[in-house]
Amino acid sequence: MHRTRVKVVEGVLDANDTIARANRSDFDAADVTVVNLMSAPGAGKTTLLERVVADLGDVRVGVLEGDVQGSLDADRLASLHVPVTQLNTDPGFGGECHLDANMVRSALGDMPLRDIDLLVVENVGNLVCPAEFRVGEDARVMVSSVTEGEDKPLKYPLMFRTCDLVLVNKVDLLEHLDYDLDLFLHHLDAVHPGVPRMLVSARTGEGVAVWRDWLLERVAERAGAPA
Amino acid sequence: MHRTRVKVVEGVLDANDTIARANRSDFDAADVTVVNLMSAPGAGKTTLLERVVADLGDVRVGVLEGDVQGSLDADRLASLHVPVTQLNTDPGFGGECHLDANMVRSALGDMPLRDIDLLVVENVGNLVCPAEFRVGEDARVMVSSVTEGEDKPLKYPLMFRTCDLVLVNKVDLLEHLDYDLDLFLHHLDAVHPGVPRMLVSARTGEGVAVWRDWLLERVAERAGAPA
């Protein structure tokens, strides 16, 4: 019984990888750098995006907003006058808890890929399943809020192990919390040794310029790559 | 294609409900009140449990700890000298993002049901899928931290709609946040009108006695019910 179940799951992930490669091919053809942005609910993905999108200079950005229901985040980002496509997962299963490659693919028709340099895919707030589904991204950025405690890398290891950058958010609250930043970083390095990390505050803007520079470098790498 | 998929999912949920009823029957036979405790990662479920378990008087409690990996929370709770069973979901699918009735059932052999009055099932930190799977519980308690923002009931409606009590945690941080508690409660009532809610702080202990009394009432209801 258990064997059968595992086979089905492998089938799902195989199909996902096939579609992720098709997405990747479209992104390459349009010269778009794609970032998959992930976190627990309420860690600050959207507020960080609002901050950074307003500060990207000549780089043209688009956003694909994943949510179970509603368009609250897409509405916030659209006010920044960048192309935003909302992707709601609630038609499936009382709400899918993640984006997969096919969901992203279904939204690409509405996104003017030729007119942007950077596509940010804001995933559903969840530290488990989003890590299991590649969508064709160049890089995975995860946001971990200091209000969530130091133990999260140990409890959700796949998410922390498969990301390329960790934004440690809400550091403006550190002085009001019993949170041991060194212990968090120790756990992070146990799970993903040396992964780049930045201390940021979406609220005060602290560290957001460092993240912006990281994004600009990712975009520049693609521009400098042989066609 | 979509039709087929929905049928498969209904099959999964039907099977879950069948097993949940079997769990329920075992809980009834042993006169145990069962609470399914759910939240986003890092909202404070374990710390609230530590607080309340230490303050339940003569009521004998057991805890079933659900995590993708590790036993950090179970270790914390075991130090309170109550029966704790750890249930790790990582054998499936790179880590299941929720507990289902069968996972709970697989742990019941290790839990001395006849020797406890209250079983708390601490679910995997996730606001989506745990809401879709009944495990045989009497009541669902969800923890929503004020650090997560006011919009969560609108973004994760099934979770907020299917719970019997909302613990609004980390209220000790309110003065340091741009969080509008009235707006959160407005959104909560839009999704689940009149659901009981309590303001608590796992850190300071504020409000925990009110939650304790709510739990004691649930246990007393069962004791007073005809056999």
Side-chain angles (χ1 to χ4, degrees):
Chain A
M1 192 65 185
H2 182 66
R3 250 185 107 71
T4 308
R5 183 167 169 224
V6 170
K7 277 184 186 170
V8 170
V9 166
E10 283 176 352
V12 169
L13 290 178
D14 279 350
N16 185 73
D17 286 347
T18 300
I19 302 169
R21 282 192 293 272
N23 291 348
R24 180 70 266 158
S25 175
D26 287 359
F27 299 145
D28 284 342
D31 259 338
V32 177
T33 300
V34 180
V35 168
N36 189 352
L37 184 62
M38 303 186 280
S39 78
K45 292 187 296 303
T46 310
T47 310
L48 280 170
L49 253 185
E50 285 180 302
R51 284 269 186 186
V52 88
V53 160
D55 200 24
L56 282 171
D58 293 338
V59 168
R60 300 162 303 170
V61 63
V63 179
L64 204 164
E65 265 296 327
D67 279 304
V68 175
Q69 214 174 78
S71 62
L72 292 170
D73 293 347
D75 297 343
R76 285 167 62 184
L77 289 159
S79 71
L80 295 168
H81 306 293
V82 299
V84 179
T85 298
Q86 177 73 50
L87 199 49
N88 284 135
T89 68
D90 64 348
F93 198 12
E96 293 283 352
C97 62
H98 59 275
L99 294 181
D100 65 23
N102 200 43
M103 295 184 219
V104 168
R105 189 152 194 81
S106 72
L108 294 186
D110 293 327
M111 180 58 63
L113 289 181
R114 302 269 165 193
D115 300 330
I116 61 174
D117 308 300
L118 173 66
L119 176 65
V120 180
V121 179
E122 186 178 339
N123 219 307
V124 178
N126 181 353
L127 289 183
V128 188
C129 300
E132 294 165 4
F133 292 87
R134 295 267 161 197
V135 299
E137 67 270 42
D138 294 272
R140 297 179 148 200
V141 176
M142 77 154 295
V143 182
S144 183
S145 164
V146 297
T147 57
E148 295 165 9
E150 307 93 345
D151 58 353
K152 293 301 160 291
L154 303 181
K155 295 181 75 174
Y156 303 92
L158 189 67
M159 175 63 76
F160 285 87
R161 190 177 295 133
T162 61
C163 67
D164 302 294
L165 174 65
V166 177
L167 300 176
V168 184
N169 193 25
K170 309 195 189 180
V171 293
D172 57 292
L173 293 176
L174 277 174
E175 62 185 303
H176 308 297
L177 302 172
D178 307 317
Y179 178 87
D180 183 339
L181 180 60
D182 289 336
L183 182 59
F184 171 80
L185 296 175
H186 177 75
H187 291 331
L188 178 61
D189 280 321
V191 168
H192 193 162
V195 62
R197 75 285 315 259
M198 296 170 182
L199 305 185
V200 300
S201 166
R203 191 187 186 204
T204 67
E206 178 182 343
V208 173
V210 184
W211 183 36
R212 177 202 60 202
D213 292 345
W214 187 92
L215 288 168
L216 294 178
E217 275 173 35
R218 298 288 84 69
V219 173
E221 276 172 10
R222 169 172 296 276
Chain B
M1 193 63 183
H2 182 65
R3 251 185 107 71
T4 308
R5 186 165 167 227
V6 171
K7 278 184 182 168
V8 171
V9 166
E10 283 177 351
V12 169
L13 290 178
D14 278 352
N16 185 74
D17 286 348
T18 300
I19 302 169
R21 281 192 294 273
N23 292 348
R24 180 70 265 160
S25 173
D26 287 359
F27 299 144
D28 284 342
D31 258 337
V32 176
T33 300
V34 180
V35 168
N36 189 350
L37 184 62
M38 303 186 280
S39 78
K45 291 186 297 302
T46 310
T47 310
L48 280 170
L49 253 185
E50 286 180 301
R51 284 268 187 188
V52 87
V53 161
D55 199 25
L56 282 171
D58 292 338
V59 167
R60 300 163 301 170
V61 64
V63 178
L64 203 163
E65 264 297 327
D67 278 303
V68 175
Q69 213 174 81
S71 61
L72 292 169
D73 293 348
D75 297 343
R76 285 166 62 185
L77 289 158
S79 70
L80 295 168
H81 306 293
V82 299
V84 178
T85 298
Q86 178 73 50
L87 199 48
N88 284 135
T89 68
D90 65 348
F93 200 10
E96 294 283 352
C97 62
H98 59 275
L99 294 180
D100 64 23
N102 200 42
M103 294 184 222
V104 168
R105 190 152 194 80
S106 72
L108 293 186
D110 293 327
M111 180 58 63
L113 289 181
R114 301 270 165 192
D115 300 329
I116 61 174
D117 308 299
L118 172 66
L119 175 65
V120 179
V121 178
E122 185 177 338
N123 219 307
V124 178
N126 181 354
L127 289 183
V128 189
C129 299
E132 294 164 4
F133 293 86
R134 295 268 162 195
V135 300
E137 67 270 44
D138 293 271
R140 295 178 149 202
V141 176
M142 76 154 295
V143 182
S144 183
S145 164
V146 297
T147 57
E148 295 165 10
E150 306 92 346
D151 58 353
K152 294 301 158 295
L154 303 181
K155 296 181 75 173
Y156 303 91
L158 188 67
M159 176 61 77
F160 285 87
R161 189 176 295 132
T162 61
C163 67
D164 302 293
L165 173 67
V166 177
L167 300 176
V168 184
N169 192 24
K170 309 195 190 181
V171 294
D172 57 293
L173 293 176
L174 277 175
E175 62 184 305
H176 309 297
L177 302 172
D178 307 317
Y179 178 87
D180 183 340
L181 180 60
D182 289 337
L183 182 60
F184 171 81
L185 296 175
H186 177 75
H187 292 330
L188 178 61
D189 279 321
V191 167
H192 192 162
V195 61
R197 75 282 318 255
M198 296 170 183
L199 304 185
V200 301
S201 166
R203 191 185 185 206
T204 67
E206 178 182 344
V208 173
V210 184
W211 182 36
R212 176 203 59 203
D213 292 346
W214 186 93
L215 288 169
L216 294 178
E217 274 172 36
R218 298 287 85 70
V219 173
E221 275 171 11
R222 169 173 295 277

